[in-house]
Amino acid sequence: MRTARSTRPPTGPRQLHPGAWWLWALGLGAAATRSTNPAILLLLAAVAGYVVAARRGDAPWSRSYGAFLRLGLLVLGIRLVFAVLLGSPIPGTHVLFTLPEVPLPTWAQGVRIGGRVTVEGLLAALYDGLRLATLLVCVGAANALASPARLLRALPGALYETGVAVVVAMTFAPNLVADVRRLRAARRLRGRTDKGVAAVLSVGLPVLEGALERSIALAAAMDTRGFGRTADVPRRLARATAALTLAGLLGICLAAYGLLTAGGAGWAPPVLLLGLAAAFAGLLLGSRRSVRTRYRPDPWALPEWLTAGSGAAVAGLVGYLSTQDPAAFAPTVVPPTVPVLPLAAVLAVLLGLVPAFAAPTPPRRAS
Amino acid sequence: MITFEQVSIRYADAAAPAVEGVDLTVPEGELCLLVGPSGSGKSTLLGAVSGLVPHFTGGTLHGRVTVGGRDTREHRPRELADLVGTVGQDPLAHFVTDTVEDELAYGMESLGLPADVMRRRVEETLDLLGLADLRDRALTSLSGGQQQRVAIGSVLTVHPRVLVLDEPTSALDPGAAEEVLAVLQRLVHDLGTTVLMAEHRLERVVQYADQVLLLTPGAAPVLGEPAEVMAHSPVHPPVVGLGRLAGWRPLPLSVRDARRKAAGLRERLDGRRPGAAPAPTGAPIATVARLAVRRGPVQALRGVDLVLRPGGITALMGRNGAGKSTLLGSLVGLHTPASGAVTVGGRTPHRTRPAELIREVGLVPQDPRDLLYGESVTAECAAADTDAGAAPGTCRALVERLLPGIADTAHPRDLSEGQRLTLALAVVLTARPPLLLLDEPTRGLDYAAKARLVEILRDLAAEGHAVLLATHDVELAAELAHRTVILAEGEIVADGPTAEVVVSSPAFAPQVAKVLAPGPWLTVHQVAEALSA
């Protein structure tokens, strides 16, 4: 009864649990890393974009999707420019054009500036850049659908204070940008030019001073509002928490090392599981120190399962298909071929559209 | 509820204690107003109640401060959070979360209240403060008055028995200030909350106070009934000034009380008129013609026409976000017009090089600190001389003329609000611009600093400067401006001699005008002159 009342009701327009959105977006992102086929990547980006368009709210962070899209294009552009300027290790025969090559001393052997630009090299760079851009678009989709601040609120109590620090840091950045803008404008009022690097640098100190003052004001406000109140816990419990968390983290690091190096495949997974279990137990024990309660946590109901499940399904299916049909998922660039779009892959990626229908519409401001 | 016993507080590197020998008892359910010039220790006393002084700020506290029976020396601010709610001048510095509803719940989450209690209290508070329509809104998308109401709401949800407010209305337009004060009065009347508030704008708040604590640097604090304290206070609102002049007893604190006593005065003033300043003539210094400016998605100005002539002081008023700052910014070329034209001294500001533009027009921004980057007053003045190409020492001489006694070695950030404003004004005036713009200059200024600013601006206008100031301070506009322009939604809705514009508007009328309506009187000074003539 009590728990049913404390969460938001799972009917009507509401925000989907932020965890579900992030799992879904990470699923799409994981699928993107399994392929360099531009058709599949573009389809993934389109699916993410459609869901954002269908289900984003009207909060300020909902507009961040466009920024991530532009960032993705920028990454793609940079990747291509580098491929043109520095050449590409891909051996190619179809020469598009030849740039004048800068002669380099012998110690810089292996590095090339200018020279032949081939279709193969450019295609490889394009596919590679597109993969990274798609990944960014997926993160951008998660960002637009659920702000990271909301995700952090769903963290267990022991991580709460870390979460607040991250949230404060995240609001710090936009404030800093606003400050730099304001102070650059103020430079004009002093009769100095507001253009160029020097103008930005010269406002550095006042901006930092302002940011520091604001942080101190916020810290004071948080303190007067009860931030950091803790419950008394026995010393033994506190020690056990610390030991468990530390052991858990060590275990996870060891396992990660084992997984990444050859020969660790045997012992690493069990160590990883043990480490995760220890860290989780530490977090649970640590939560006892915190007296916080949570106001109307988002419920985890059917739409959340469907959304997170669709992300996992896309990641799983694309991962499986890519091992079955590697040629379709990583089209060869030497010689250049027209990428094909296998029907199975299309269906798998389209599963990512489920949240556009399964997720509840976000509440909108009447205006 | 709150007791101070022989309290003195001294900060680590200060020569003298910030407050000394304070004995004070505020009973439950009273609204106690702290009054005094800048630097008299108002914020320090407020901090001592919330526990921020000395736990957060450092310094030494002698004596004893207890709130609801808890000694603030032994309880840190977070341990007083369920008892004392603190709201400062800038609501944005107070917010921890990003939406209205979460912000209201934040304090309760920290205290670990059960979920169903939190749910109920958030709904109650949304209704109490009239925020129900805004519950899902992002905090940054709210207006100033709405933000301040959310900030007050966010501390109210934990049901504190004491509310500590440091200049809660100083950044707000008259309408938004009314909103906030109405809420405070309701809290005191209906919930029995004890409120301790510091505020420079006495004309807004003194009528709501049950007690006034008058702090004067170097003298013992005086606590008493508002009317008694105001009878002798060096700082007082215009309605009290009028009451003192007319010899009304008991002294009225609100416009309503004063009006009931003012029949006689209105009769005596009948047939007389205040000496009107001649409307400035002469070639316009600046012309704004059908100006439209977009700022991001917002159409900030739509078709504004304005002509500024030498010797004229113009007040620019309107609610927060009406486009006042954008208009000032356009005159110094910070914004490119979408259509229409701006001409200042024959130039187009946004196409003029900054070094040339500062000889035509100078702007003192809302926060004068934006203009000051120097390590000391001397360094700042030297930089200003170089920027303006003026003879060395010009700026320093201006500072000395405007406000004598600012130390050479002081860091601009350590100056008081009034000193900082004067320094920024001197920096701007170093280039001798014929047009001077000020954005919200009286924010945070006490009465003495404000009176000083009025004198300075009058002198500058007499020397032939044109002055345009954006302000929420109706008393300042009444005192100073020859002409008042009211902006709403980026359009000019009223433009004319101050007396005509403000007397006809309930929101922008100064207290004296409200008391003596329909007479054309705006300030105590005018009435005094008319009576002595």
Side-chain angles (χ1 to χ4, degrees):
Chain A
M1 173 65 200
R2 179 96 156 237
T3 47
R5 194 149 51 133
S6 68
T7 57
R8 289 166 199 265
T11 50
R14 66 178 178 102
Q15 304 274 2
L16 198 75
H17 194 290
W21 279 130
W22 281 84
L23 283 176
W24 166 81
L26 289 179
L28 292 195
T33 60
R34 305 300 303 175
S35 169
T36 55
N37 184 334
I40 295 180
L41 291 174
L42 287 176
L43 190 62
L44 272 169
V47 164
Y50 181 77
V51 173
V52 168
R55 283 297 179 265
R56 75 169 157 192
D58 44 14
W61 57 81
S62 304
R63 293 193 284 269
S64 65
Y65 185 65
F68 274 90
L69 210 58
R70 280 194 289 274
L71 185 66
L73 287 177
L74 182 74
V75 165
L76 191 62
I78 290 176
R79 185 76 185 80
L80 285 177
V81 168
F82 271 90
V84 169
L85 287 183
L86 299 179
S88 157
I90 310 289
T93 49
H94 301 76
V95 178
L96 275 178
F97 52 88
T98 308
L99 288 177
E101 191 167 340
V102 181
L104 288 177
T106 44
W107 51 261
Q109 225 170 12
V111 180
R112 186 169 65 107
I113 298 178
R116 292 182 312 137
V117 177
T118 61
V119 175
E120 291 87 342
L122 271 188
L123 270 185
L126 178 71
Y127 293 175
D128 203 41
L130 198 59
R131 184 164 61 171
L132 199 54
T134 311
L135 204 60
L136 278 171
V137 167
C138 291
V139 174
N143 221 337
L145 290 163
S147 84
R150 285 185 58 222
L151 179 67
L152 286 168
R153 264 211 309 284
L155 287 176
L159 287 180
Y160 167 75
E161 287 172 23
T162 329
V164 169
V166 175
V167 170
V168 169
M170 280 190 314
T171 55
F172 196 77
N175 283 336
L176 216 57
V177 173
D179 277 358
V180 169
R181 247 186 231 155
R182 212 183 60 241
L183 285 165
R184 269 183 62 194
R187 267 182 74 85
R188 252 186 97 84
L189 304 179
R190 289 287 295 259
R192 306 176 191 181
T193 174
D194 57 348
K195 306 215 165 54
V197 182
V200 176
L201 287 183
S202 75
V203 299
L205 197 62
V207 165
L208 282 182
E209 280 171 347
L212 202 64
E213 275 172 18
R214 197 164 36 231
S215 311
I216 290 171
L218 181 63
M222 286 170 71
D223 206 0
T224 58
R225 295 173 69 189
F227 175 77
R229 277 164 87 111
T230 48
D232 288 326
V233 290
R235 266 181 95 83
R236 274 175 43 214
L237 189 70
R239 280 202 196 129
T241 312
L244 274 173
T245 317
L246 202 65
L249 286 179
L250 265 178
I252 293 171
C253 289
L254 263 178
Y257 176 77
L259 282 175
L260 292 175
T261 51
W267 57 267
V271 171
L272 180 67
L273 283 182
L274 272 178
L276 281 176
F280 194 67
L283 284 183
L284 274 187
L285 280 182
S287 301
R288 285 216 206 156
R289 238 176 87 78
S290 158
V291 292
R292 285 183 64 81
T293 47
R294 200 160 295 150
Y295 173 73
R296 294 183 89 188
D298 296 300
W300 189 283
L302 185 64
E304 278 77 9
W305 285 115
L306 286 175
T307 303
S310 87
V314 173
L317 283 174
V318 171
Y320 170 75
L321 290 172
S322 69
T323 56
Q324 298 300 302
D325 186 7
F329 280 81
T332 54
V333 289
V334 187
T337 50
V338 178
V340 291
L341 190 56
L343 182 66
V346 173
L347 292 179
V349 171
L350 285 182
L351 271 181
L353 282 179
V354 167
F357 309 99
T361 49
R364 277 179 207 287
R365 228 186 297 151
S367 64
Chain B
M1 194 72 219
I2 306 170
T3 57
F4 281 72
E5 292 167 29
Q6 279 305 312
V7 174
S8 43
I9 299 165
R10 179 197 288 269
Y11 291 115
D13 45 359
V19 289
E20 201 169 9
V22 180
D23 268 307
L24 165 71
T25 309
V26 183
E28 187 161 359
E30 288 212 341
L31 197 160
C32 179
L33 184 66
L34 299 189
V35 176
S38 300
S40 57
K42 295 192 297 296
S43 299
T44 304
L45 272 190
L46 294 182
V49 173
S50 62
L52 287 173
V53 177
H55 292 287
F56 199 85
T57 57
T60 341
L61 181 134
H62 291 285
R64 216 167 103 89
V65 182
T66 57
V67 184
R70 285 185 223 172
D71 190 333
T72 61
R73 188 196 303 273
E74 285 143 25
H75 292 81
R76 292 196 290 175
R78 66 189 69 159
E79 287 149 5
L80 293 166
D82 54 327
L83 188 66
V84 183
T86 308
V87 177
Q89 196 181 108
D90 179 12
L92 282 177
H94 171 95
F95 293 148
V96 185
T97 64
D98 43 19
T99 63
V100 173
E101 207 178 338
D102 291 333
E103 189 63 31
L104 293 183
Y106 177 81
M108 295 189 287
E109 289 183 323
S110 298
L111 299 184
L113 295 184
D116 49 345
V117 174
M118 290 200 276
R119 186 83 179 83
R120 206 177 58 236
R121 286 197 187 168
V122 165
E123 296 302 326
E124 286 166 3
T125 309
L126 286 172
D127 285 338
L128 182 69
L129 303 191
L131 294 167
D133 296 337
L134 309 172
R135 61 188 306 156
D136 293 320
R137 289 272 292 274
L139 292 169
T140 45
S141 70
L142 302 179
S143 74
Q146 290 168 335
Q147 284 178 344
Q148 194 61 280
R149 277 188 290 154
V150 173
I152 291 175
S154 72
V155 298
L156 279 186
T157 47
V158 301
H159 287 191
R161 289 161 64 202
V162 176
L163 208 52
V164 171
L165 304 154
D166 196 356
E167 299 193 35
T169 72
S170 71
L172 303 181
D173 60 64
E178 292 283 323
E179 269 175 29
V180 169
L181 290 169
V183 162
L184 288 180
Q185 210 192 1
R186 207 166 152 194
L187 292 176
V188 174
H189 283 217
D190 296 358
L191 301 181
T193 314
T194 310
V195 178
L196 195 60
M197 169 161 61
E199 182 63 68
H200 281 311
R201 302 222 170 146
L202 291 178
E203 66 273 13
R204 288 177 173 176
V205 294
V206 77
Q207 50 191 312
Y208 301 115
D210 297 306
Q211 285 198 68
V212 171
L213 179 69
L214 177 65
L215 295 164
T216 328
V222 181
L223 179 73
E225 292 283 312
E228 282 169 26
V229 177
M230 280 300 129
H232 308 288
S233 164
V235 294
H236 54 82
V239 69
V240 169
L242 195 66
R244 285 195 199 173
L245 181 70
W248 293 328
R249 289 284 174 278
L251 210 52
L253 297 176
S254 68
V255 168
R256 182 168 176 269
D257 290 346
R259 256 198 93 78
R260 291 166 63 194
K261 292 196 163 82
L265 183 62
R266 278 200 294 268
E267 255 166 44
R268 278 170 69 194
L269 289 170
D270 206 21
R272 303 183 207 206
R273 298 196 64 80
T281 49
I285 291 180
T287 334
V288 175
R290 291 186 306 285
L291 175 69
V293 176
R294 286 190 73 83
R295 292 183 75 180
V298 183
Q299 183 77 41
L301 293 177
R302 327 163 185 251
V304 170
D305 290 294
L306 190 68
V307 176
L308 299 170
R309 296 177 197 279
I313 302 181
T314 310
L316 190 59
M317 305 186 78
R319 66 178 84 89
N320 290 330
K324 301 188 296 294
S325 297
T326 309
L327 182 54
L328 295 189
S330 303
L331 283 165
V332 287
L334 293 180
H335 311 298
T336 308
S339 67
V342 184
T343 327
V344 177
R347 297 167 191 267
T348 310
H350 71 277
R351 294 217 192 90
T352 310
R353 281 186 29 238
E356 291 167 24
L357 193 64
I358 59 167
R359 289 172 212 290
E360 303 295 341
V361 52
L363 168 67
V364 179
Q366 207 167 72
D367 186 350
R369 278 178 293 193
D370 290 358
L371 215 53
L372 307 173
Y373 330 109
E375 291 293 312
S376 67
V377 172
T378 315
E380 202 64 72
C381 287
D385 291 337
T386 323
D387 288 340
T394 311
C395 177
R396 186 65 200 151
L398 271 168
V399 172
E400 206 53 38
R401 198 192 112 197
L402 299 180
L403 184 60
I406 298 182
D408 275 329
T409 50
H411 193 284
R413 279 183 185 262
D414 292 336
L415 299 177
S416 75
E417 303 266 0
Q419 290 174 327
R420 205 149 51 208
L421 179 72
T422 314
L423 179 59
L425 194 58
V427 163
V428 165
L429 287 175
T430 305
R432 316 190 63 74
L435 174 60
L436 181 65
L437 313 172
L438 298 113
D439 197 353
E440 208 55 59
T442 54
R443 187 174 177 168
L445 289 195
D446 57 27
Y447 277 70
K450 219 162 98 173
R452 184 85 206 152
L453 179 73
V454 167
E455 261 175 51
I456 292 173
L457 293 182
R458 277 210 185 116
D459 289 349
L460 288 174
E463 287 167 22
H465 287 271
V467 179
L468 176 64
L469 50 115
T471 184
H472 291 317
D473 191 334
V474 292
E475 304 297 340
L476 178 79
E479 183 90 27
L480 191 58
H482 303 122
R483 173 176 165 208
T484 295
V485 176
I486 296 180
L487 275 180
E489 304 277 305
E491 288 172 72
I492 290 183
V493 292
D495 180 359
T498 300
E500 284 172 29
V501 172
V502 300
V503 167
S504 59
S505 144
F508 296 111
Q511 285 192 317
V512 173
K514 285 179 183 164
V515 173
L516 298 178
W521 310 94
L522 297 180
T523 64
V524 180
H525 187 67
Q526 286 175 349
V527 176
E529 266 184 3
L531 288 181
S532 63

